[in-house]
Amino acid sequence: MASSLFMASSLKIFSLVMVLGSFSTQAEARAFFVFGDSLVDNGNNNYLATTARADAPPYGIDYAPTHRPTGRFSNGYNIPDFISQAIGSEPTLPYLSPQLTGQRILNGANFASAGIGILNDTGVQFINIIRMYRQYQYFQQYQQRVAALIGSARAKQLVNQALVLITVGGNDFVNNYYLVPYSARSRQYELPDYVKFLISEYRKLLLQLYDLGARRVLVTGTGPLGCVPAELALRGGANGQCSTELQRAANLFNPQLIQMIKGLNQQLGSDIFVAVNTQQTHYDFISHPGAFGFTTSKIACCGQGPYNGLGLCTVASNLCPNRDVYAFWDAFHPSERANRMIVQQINTGSEKYMYPMNLSTIMALDSRI
């Protein structure tokens, strides 16, 4: 009897050690956190009463292994998925997912929500979306949950050593300033002043992220806003030229973002923030699609109207048979293959694409700390 009690208690202790050991291993792996909009949303909006959703076919048509919609605004994987692969971690789960429990929470989390912007009044037409201040509140909540699991000191270490991605800004133009003629923001600001305002507000967001413990943050600029199929359909030139006004916005915003990031890093005394020049990567596809294996960088794979750029991608939309030869999946979002190529530049690109360093350099540097 005593022997069986001893064995039972030993098994319990052994099981507890195994569980704590597995948490220890997980905690030492690099966590990944994602903030931002539909370009990086992994499905948070599936859990919200909003029209900004990608939870119906043909979204996810190439998503492995299920070929079903996941809430990603893609035919398959998106940018965070490929970054997770590059750093050797599991794909991040949406923070609102009920599956984000136990050991899986130690991989990090995706807080992004389609439709949001730098400003709280961006995307008001989508109603119930997770604006940036709320994404940060969830990040604080996340840290409390992890602290309860592995202790405050190790939770702080997990966050400090994590990789962070933030992608926000495009919607502040297409779903705010240029959403309707004579929008409230366009009446309030001339475009150059609006860009300065956005940059100042973005700077506050990045400092808040630093205060919340982020120490290695990839910060993406906007893509070439005037060249996406939606803007070609609405505002583009007669022969498929990019919208001059939206391109002007992107050309003002992105260089100022890089300068702001340089200044922040100088202020903090470390290369905390890394500027990701997604505008240049996208523009490479748009200027020379054939060089990257695309047959078109103007027409979306899924949609309707000119360039398939009007309205949402639905089961009633035109759908291309080969998504790999389209740079754009829908009216606004890159195809899975384009997302993979964007992350290749994030991983190994020169300073033209990644300033002051690319992701492979970050991983090599941080592995020595």
Side-chain angles (χ1 to χ4, degrees):
M1 180 71 178
S3 173
S4 61
L5 281 172
F6 174 77
M7 285 183 68
S9 61
S10 296
L11 280 170
K12 285 180 183 176
I13 292 168
F14 178 74
S15 299
L16 182 61
V17 168
M18 289 297 289
V19 168
L20 290 174
S22 69
F23 277 139
S24 174
T25 303
Q26 288 287 328
E28 287 164 8
R30 187 163 209 170
F32 181 36
F33 301 107
V34 181
F35 301 87
D37 57 26
S38 60
L39 289 164
V40 293
D41 184 352
N42 273 19
N44 279 308
N45 280 22
N46 287 1
Y47 303 95
L48 304 173
T50 177
T51 55
R53 295 162 72 109
D55 59 343
Y59 284 98
I61 189 170
D62 299 308
Y63 183 81
T66 62
H67 300 278
R68 295 170 64 87
T70 61
R72 292 164 172 82
F73 286 75
S74 171
N75 56 303
Y77 292 144
N78 64 6
I79 288 169
D81 293 319
F82 289 119
I83 291 177
S84 290
Q85 289 180 17
I87 66 174
S89 70
E90 293 291 316
T92 54
L93 287 171
Y95 185 68
L96 298 185
S97 169
Q99 296 177 324
L100 190 70
T101 57
Q103 294 180 42
R104 299 185 80 171
I105 202 170
L106 303 181
N107 292 327
N110 186 313
F111 302 91
S113 176
I116 66 100
I118 296 166
L119 307 180
N120 288 332
D121 60 301
T122 290
V124 290
Q125 71 274 29
F126 302 124
I127 305 172
N128 189 24
I129 49 182
I130 312 169
R131 304 188 187 285
M132 283 306 303
Y133 73 89
R134 185 66 172 145
Q135 291 186 29
Y136 285 0
Q137 287 174 350
Y138 280 144
F139 189 33
Q140 290 173 291
Q141 189 181 87
Y142 167 92
Q143 293 186 43
Q144 291 164 3
R145 290 171 63 186
V146 172
L149 199 63
I150 60 174
S152 296
R154 288 172 66 198
K156 182 176 186 294
Q157 182 183 39
L158 181 145
V159 170
N160 288 163
Q161 293 178 352
L163 182 70
V164 179
L165 171 69
I166 182 167
T167 295
V168 70
N171 283 328
D172 294 285
F173 296 103
V174 299
N175 281 311
N176 191 328
Y177 195 84
Y178 293 109
L179 179 63
V180 292
Y182 310 108
S183 67
R185 288 296 188 184
S186 66
R187 292 197 307 272
Q188 183 183 9
Y189 293 103
E190 293 294 324
L191 180 61
D193 295 326
Y194 181 64
V195 169
K196 287 178 185 174
F197 173 56
L198 285 181
I199 294 293
S200 69
E201 292 300 301
Y202 206 167
R203 187 179 188 277
K204 293 174 189 174
L205 287 176
L206 295 182
L207 279 172
Q208 285 178 312
L209 203 47
Y210 178 81
D211 290 341
L212 290 170
R215 292 296 179 268
R216 192 68 87 180
V217 185
L218 304 175
V219 185
T220 70
T222 73
L225 297 171
C227 302
V228 301
E231 298 306 329
L232 294 182
L234 291 171
R235 300 183 178 87
N239 297 314
Q241 294 102 332
C242 302
S243 162
T244 304
E245 190 63 12
L246 267 293
Q247 281 301 93
R248 180 174 169 239
N251 290 337
L252 284 169
F253 180 84
N254 288 303
Q256 289 186 46
L257 178 63
I258 293 170
Q259 289 306 310
M260 180 265 280
I261 286 170
K262 286 180 180 178
L264 261 185
N265 285 340
Q266 286 173 356
Q267 177 185 327
L268 297 170
S270 180
D271 290 327
I272 305 293
F273 300 104
V274 175
V276 181
N277 192 345
T278 41
Q279 182 183 20
Q280 184 60 54
T281 307
H282 272 86
Y283 202 68
D284 289 349
F285 303 156
I286 287 157
S287 303
H288 308 287
F292 298 91
F294 297 118
T295 58
T296 177
S297 59
K298 296 182 184 297
I299 303 167
C301 169
C302 182
Q304 45 278 314
Y307 308 102
N308 279 342
L310 298 180
L312 300 172
C313 172
T314 70
V315 288
S317 298
N318 303 316
L319 179 65
C320 68
N322 183 359
R323 274 72 66 183
D324 281 350
V325 296
Y326 283 71
F328 284 96
W329 156 246
D330 65 13
F332 287 103
H333 303 97
S335 64
E336 179 187 75
R337 184 161 173 269
N339 283 329
R340 182 186 288 112
M341 296 173 83
I342 290 165
V343 174
Q344 284 171 356
Q345 286 289 23
I346 289 173
N347 198 34
T348 60
S350 67
E351 282 194 358
K352 179 180 177 183
Y353 300 93
M354 298 290 298
Y355 185 86
M357 68 188 106
N358 60 34
L359 180 55
S360 61
T361 302
I362 289 170
M363 295 300 289
L365 279 175
D366 293 352
S367 69
R368 295 200 289 267
I369 294 173

